[in-house]
Amino acid sequence: MTKPLPLALTMGEPAGIGGELTLKAWLRRHDLTNPFLAVDDPDRLRSIAQSLGWDAPIAVIAAAEQAKDVFADALPVLPQPLVRAVKPGCPDPANGSAVMASIQRAVLLTQAGQTAAMVTNPIHKAVLYQAGFAFPGHTEYLAHLLGVDGAEVMMLACPHLRVVPVTIHVSLAQAAAGLTTQAIIHAGQVTAQALRRDFGIAAPRLAVAGLNPHAGENGAMGHEDAEIIAPAVAALRAQGIDANGPLPADTLFHARARAGYDAALCMYHDQALIPIKTIDFDGGVNITLGLPIIRTSPDHGTAFALAGTGLAVETSLMAALNMAAAMAANRSRPHG
């Protein structure tokens, strides 16, 4: 049987929990669909394993294809050396260039078809800004590297729910003021395409949340639902996409409601993230839609307070690795 292509896993913030999660994921390799390689500093990973007493040998590789052959016995690492030694919980801007290079190399590997998808460990943007990082976050940086600036759409997913925030890292006031019909249409188009191509759903169903309580209640609680969201839903339906809304958000996420759609478009950050983190706090996966490659990430941050303790939970990274593998398998199949 042909071994599946490996996934490329980035370094993330070296002073955070990414290295520990990478090692823990390899220690649970029998629960993974695909092997993975780490684009990381092998000395750093060895040091973490030794300090925590984990039996996780490191195999330095020169090419992605070698990962499949060594993965059963050692964690394959494509070397990305750090500039300075790492102290857990204490990020150093000097290592920012290595963090960015790890992301860039994972993109190139996946673009070239040497890896099936890329999975990113959490970064610390404040430190990267000091190293010259000029993007709001991972998502925008990946879109820039791939030449599709503005096409990117964020999805958060777990086995029981998929949500897409139309506006993301802005204040609630800015989200309401900046919400547009075109942004909702774009998010719906990209989401429907991804559900077909990457999740194997032939006829995707989208639920579109309202912005205001009770989806505006016929204008009594705001005009945005009728004037901005409803036209977007109509446009999506005119394009053959099964979209329904605007729907009151307070009744959109219980189990019976979730059975009626494949993904929910949400109008602002917390409207999307509160339900998914309530339903599956440890197992949520961040997915970037709208890219020519597959990218997933654990849905949590660098957790500096846990770095070096070995207590960080690898559930979300495991879910991100397996979801990336499943998406890659779906994408490789022909679709009508």
Side-chain angles (χ1 to χ4, degrees), residues 244-315:
N244 187 23
L247 301 170
D250 63 347
T251 56
L252 192 56
F253 299 107
H254 61 83
R256 191 168 66 253
R258 296 197 309 269
Y261 59 84
D262 300 300
L265 300 189
C266 301
M267 298 304 109
Y268 55 92
H269 181 277
D270 284 8
Q271 190 181 62
L273 272 70
I274 287 173
I276 197 161
K277 289 193 174 185
T278 300
I279 290 168
D280 194 350
F281 185 78
D282 289 325
V285 177
N286 186 330
I287 306 164
T288 305
L289 310 180
L291 303 179
I293 64 172
I294 293 166
R295 177 260 179 159
T296 67
S297 177
D299 184 26
H300 58 66
T302 53
F304 289 130
L306 287 177
T309 67
L311 299 177
V313 177
E314 73 278 11
T315 306

Side-chain angles (χ1 to χ4, degrees), residues 191-204:
T191 301
Q193 180 191 42
L195 290 171
R196 285 191 294 266
R197 182 174 62 166
D198 298 334
F199 292 89
I201 299 171

Side-chain angles (χ1 to χ4, degrees), residues 104-115 145-147 292-293:
Q104 293 163 6
R105 292 180 71 187
V107 166
L108 291 172
L109 287 169
T110 310
Q111 267 188 309
Q114 296 176 44
T115 51
L145 291 174
L146 290 159
I293 64 172

Side-chain angles (χ1 to χ4, degrees), residues 6-319:
L7 309 171
L9 178 61
T10 66
M11 174 190 302
E13 167 52 52
I17 58 173
E20 293 163 59
L21 297 181
T22 296
L23 291 164
K24 280 190 166 187
W26 181 81
L27 289 169
R28 289 185 56 191
R29 58 198 177 279
H30 300 298
D31 295 326
L32 294 172
T33 307
N34 286 37
F36 69 86
L37 62 89
V39 186
D40 209 321
D41 187 317
D43 292 333
R44 175 182 90 103
L45 293 172
R46 284 194 193 97
S47 176
I48 293 171
Q50 290 169 1
S51 68
L52 294 171
W54 294 345
D55 182 15
I58 304 300
V60 175
I61 59 174
E65 61 185 13
Q66 296 172 304
K68 295 184 288 185
D69 296 325
V70 304
F71 188 74
D73 301 309
L75 170 61
V77 179
L78 201 60
Q80 183 57 59
L82 293 169
V83 174
R84 290 185 185 161
V86 176
K87 181 179 179 182
C90 299
D92 187 340
N95 286 324
S97 58
V99 174
M100 289 185 279
S102 174
I103 297 169
Q104 293 163 6
R105 292 180 71 187
V107 166
L108 291 172
L109 287 169
T110 310
Q111 267 188 309
Q114 296 176 44
T115 51
M118 66 179 291
V119 180
T120 57
N121 266 309
I123 58 173
H124 188 62
K125 291 177 288 187
V127 174
L128 287 183
Y129 293 151
Q130 298 177 56
F133 189 72
F135 300 87
H138 249 138
T139 301
E140 296 83 359
Y141 184 45
L142 290 168
H144 175 74
L145 291 174
L146 290 159
V148 291
D149 300 76
E152 69 277 7
V153 169
M154 177 190 288
M155 173 184 278
L156 290 304
C158 70
H160 306 291
L161 178 64
R162 301 181 191 94
V163 291
V164 171
V166 176
T167 64
I168 307 177
H169 295 122
V170 295
S171 71
L172 191 54
Q174 289 173 310
L179 187 66
T180 67
T181 298
Q182 186 53 48
I184 299 167
I185 293 171
H186 173 70
Q189 292 169 330
V190 172
T191 301
Q193 180 191 42
L195 290 171
R196 285 191 294 266
R197 182 174 62 166
D198 298 334
F199 292 89
I201 299 171
R205 302 163 301 164
L206 303 182
V208 183
L211 175 69
N212 297 298
H214 303 174
E217 204 166 89
N218 296 319
M221 299 185 190
H223 62 86
E224 294 90 350
D225 299 274
E227 296 180 5
I228 298 174
I229 302 172
V233 174
L236 290 169
R237 292 183 68 85
Q239 295 170 20
I241 295 172
D242 184 355
N244 187 23
L247 301 170
D250 63 347
T251 56
L252 192 56
F253 299 107
H254 61 83
R256 191 168 66 253
R258 296 197 309 269
Y261 59 84
D262 300 300
L265 300 189
C266 301
M267 298 304 109
Y268 55 92
H269 181 277
D270 284 8
Q271 190 181 62
L273 272 70
I274 287 173
I276 197 161
K277 289 193 174 185
T278 300
I279 290 168
D280 194 350
F281 185 78
D282 289 325
V285 177
N286 186 330
I287 306 164
T288 305
L289 310 180
L291 303 179
I293 64 172
I294 293 166
R295 177 260 179 159
T296 67
S297 177
D299 184 26
H300 58 66
T302 53
F304 289 130
L306 287 177
T309 67
L311 299 177
V313 177
E314 73 278 11
T315 306
S316 186
L317 178 58
M318 295 289 291

